[in-house]
Amino acid sequence: KQEVTQIPAALSVPEGENLVLNCSFTDSAIYNLQWFRQDPGKGLTSLLLIQSSQREQTSGRLNASLDKSSGRSTLYIAASQPGDSATYLCAVSGAGSYQLTFGKGTKLSVIP
Amino acid sequence: GAVVSQHPSRVICKSGTSVKIECRSLDFQATTMFWYRQFPKQSLMLMATSNEGSKATYEQGVEKDKFLINHASLTLSTLTVTSAHPEDSSFYICSASLAGGLGETQYFGPGTRLLVL
C-alpha cells in the first residue's frame, strides 16, 4: 500500500527566504506526482505535475523535482511571499490506478 | 479551462437528515469523478470513484449505503450522505478526470464543508 509522507508538518519562514518542502513515497511504481496548494477551508489548486519519466517541473517561483527510484520529491519555493502561506500537499498516482494518495501536507507560514 | 464546481460550499444539518452535494465539471466532460473526504489535520482520503452511467467503486471502509453516489451525466456527480451523524462532519472534495485514463490529471472542486449537529 502506497504511503506518502511530508516533512516538515509545519514551517514558518520570513518573507523573501527560499524554502524546500519534502515529500517521500514508499512505492516507486508511480504514474505521476502532483503538488497542490490548499488554503484554509478551501479546495485544492494544482501547482505542478511531474510525470514519472520527468525529473522536474517549473512554474514561476516554484520548482518541483522527482527522484522516483528513491521515492522522493521536493518543492522549492523561491523568494517566498506572505501570499504563499497555505498548506502544500503532495500526491502520487499509482501506476495502473486512478487513485491519488495524498500526504498530510506541510503548513507554510510566510511572515512579513 | 477544466473548472469543477461544488454545491453547496457549506451545509449545516441536524443529525439524521440526508445531505446532497453536487459536483459539476463546467467546461469539459468528465468520464470519471472522484469523491474525497478530509478530516481536520488529515490528508485527503479517497472515498469512491464514479464513472458515468455505472455504479461507483467504493474504497475499503466506506459504506456505500450511507454515501450514495450518482454519476448520471458526463458533467454531474452527486454524493448523498444519508442519515448524517456528527461523525460525518468533514470536508468533502470532488475531482474530475478529463479522459478517464489511468493517471490522468484530476481537477478538484472547491470542497463542501459539512457540519452535522
Side-chain angles (χ1 to χ4, degrees), chain A residues 4 8 20 25 50 55-56 62 72 77 82:
Chain A
V4 179
V20 175
F25 45 95
I50 311 178
R55 288 276 186 170
E56 65 177 347
L62 306 179
R72 294 179 182 179
I77 301 178

Side-chain angles (χ1 to χ4, degrees), chain A residues 31-32 36 38 42-43 49 98 103, chain B residues 38 43 91 100 103 105-106 110:
Chain A
Y31 192 84
N32 59 41
F36 295 89
Q38 185 177 31
K42 303 292 185 181
L49 181 150
Y98 288 112
Chain B
Q38 185 181 34
S43 59
F91 192 54
T105 300
Q106 295 178 29

